[in-house]
Amino acid sequence: KALKLIVTGGAGYIGSVCTARLIEAGHEVTVVDDLSTGHGDAVHPRARFIEGDAAETAETLLGEGFDGVLHFAAKSLVGESMSDPAKYWHGNVLTSIRLLDAMRKHGTPRLVFSSTAATYGEPKESPIAETAPTDPTNTYGASKLAIDHAITSYARAHGLAAVSLRYFNVAGAYGSYGERHTTETHLIPLVFQAATGERPHISIFGEDYPTDDGTAVRDYIHVVDLADAHLLALKHAAEGEHRIYNLGNGTGFSVRQVIDACREATGLDIPAEVAPRRAGDPAVLVAASDKAREELGWKPERTDLIGIARDAWEFAQARRAAKS
Ligand code: UDP
């Protein structure tokens, strides 16, 4: 059944890919984005676009009657969350509470929320299951965890059908929709900058981790697989329940493996240099996503690291061509 949906943050990386997949599946999408980090031209041409704050806009818009909200809009820089926590408590937590209140007021039945592996903090088990303790090590993760708690209690008390999806390392692109952050902190786009000479080399943050090659291991998931989990979450969301699912490939790749995959995908000899560890980076972060597989019927299809790198590279190349 075609649903009438609001996508907050639909001009951002994951929100724009999700919007494209939702529209292609026949849903009717209104994107709300304040363009603080998103890009107007990343909004799908068949989406209705309203530029504005997620909460403020939802408060006026939800009265029109919507089947659900996919809430991507958020501040997501870990370092910034430590130096400017107010931006995260206001921008993430307060905004989301206001959105929940507006949904309650207007009887909007479904919510899919972008949560994160950062809610778990330093892992005590690997792979990480949803039952693992949540002990975030940064304000970004704490703000997302606080929202998850709020959603749980709203769902129980007010009958909301809610799903939180905890993303691990999202990568890749979907045609013209991809990662284009002004402040780039993510490994794969930075490796490409080293590939094109935009930066002299890629720094490998730490080579003395207790892993096979000494570099940190992460779970890289293709953004299209991630987006498709959102469509399944909408379908399986159940009234009065807040379900939480981890989304990852289930396979860890080291920083060196990622750089090698990027060398393979680009055909370029990308210079890399070992640098000190980045503060707060755990050695290994890998998802157990069995719950999403079992309950949502989700299965990541684009698990090959070189394939993920290739899609991201094609997008980065097209962006570069568009800019020059
Ligand atoms: N990383 C790196 N060099 C960089 C950026 C990241 O070695 O220039 C490492 C980082 O330490 C982590 C992995 O790459 O182990 C993924 O980092 P990213 O920031 O992409 O995602 P995170 O896992 O921190 O959410």
Side-chain angles (χ1 to χ4, degrees):
K1 171 178 168 274
L3 301 173
K4 191 175 166 189
L5 303 166
I6 290 181
V7 173
T8 75
Y13 170 38
I14 300 166
S16 66
V17 173
C18 214
T19 298
R21 300 294 283 186
L22 286 165
I23 288 174
E24 284 159 17
H27 300 296
E28 190 188 313
V29 177
T30 299
V31 166
V32 177
D33 199 301
D34 65 5
L35 301 184
S36 56
T37 53
H39 307 271
D41 62 359
V43 177
H44 194 281
R46 281 195 273 141
R48 168 184 173 206
F49 175 44
I50 298 175
E51 186 178 339
D53 173 77
E56 215 175 280
T57 312
E59 280 160 4
T60 54
L61 209 57
L62 282 172
E64 288 178 14
F66 283 87
D67 297 307
V69 176
L70 294 102
H71 183 36
F72 296 92
K75 302 291 165 208
S76 63
L77 296 170
V78 169
E80 183 188 61
S81 80
M82 302 307 280
S83 58
D84 188 4
K87 199 163 174 178
Y88 287 74
W89 294 110
H90 287 263
N92 291 355
V93 180
L94 272 184
T95 301
S96 299
I97 306 282
R98 285 175 60 195
L99 176 64
L100 281 169
D101 286 332
M103 291 179 70
R104 186 187 164 198
K105 182 175 164 199
H106 296 289
T108 314
R110 290 180 201 83
L111 173 69
V112 179
F113 175 63
S114 303
S115 188
T116 168
T119 53
Y120 296 111
E122 184 75 43
K124 281 137 212 104
E125 58 183 55
S126 189
I128 303 170
E130 293 83 356
T131 47
T134 44
D135 188 10
T137 52
N138 54 62
T139 304
Y140 166 65
S143 74
K144 289 283 185 173
L145 181 61
I147 301 162
D148 274 340
H149 285 310
I151 294 171
T152 301
S153 51
Y154 273 63
R156 273 194 203 131
H158 309 304
L160 179 70
V163 176
S164 285
L165 298 174
R166 292 194 169 152
Y167 310 160
F168 281 65
N169 290 63
V170 188
Y174 183 48
S176 56
Y177 303 101
E179 197 167 9
R180 43 193 285 216
H181 298 116
T182 313
T183 311
E184 193 51 76
T185 61
H186 290 135
L187 179 60
I188 292 175
L190 290 175
V191 173
F192 292 155
Q193 291 180 5
T196 57
E198 252 175 274
R199 61 178 57 235
H201 59 262
I202 181 71
S203 297
I204 298 172
F205 294 155
E207 207 187 21
D208 56 351
Y209 282 106
T211 59
D212 285 348
D213 66 13
T215 66
V217 169
R218 295 290 180 272
D219 188 333
Y220 296 86
I221 172 174
H222 196 294
V223 68
V224 174
D225 284 333
L226 185 91
D228 288 350
H230 292 69
L231 276 81
L232 292 166
L234 272 174
K235 195 159 119 191
H236 290 272
E239 191 179 324
E241 287 181 33
H242 178 210
R243 299 188 177 167
I244 298 179
Y245 300 104
N246 290 343
L247 297 179
N249 248 329
T251 312
F253 296 103
S254 73
V255 173
R256 280 202 188 281
Q257 282 177 308
V258 171
I259 297 171
D260 283 340
C262 291
R263 287 180 176 136
E264 190 72 35
T266 60
L268 296 169
D269 179 29
I270 304 166
E273 276 181 24
V274 177
R277 290 185 183 192
R278 189 169 64 181
D281 272 350
V284 179
L285 280 178
V286 176
S289 350
D290 311 68
K291 197 179 166 200
R293 289 167 193 260
E294 283 157 24
E295 295 183 14
L296 300 176
W298 177 71
K299 192 176 170 292
E301 311 271 355
R302 298 156 186 87
T303 53
D304 171 54
L305 188 61
I306 296 170
I308 293 175
R310 198 175 292 127
D311 287 352
W313 175 240
E314 275 172 19
F315 171 79
Q317 289 285 81
R319 284 301 315 158
R320 246 171 230 109
K323 273 196 281 184
S324 65

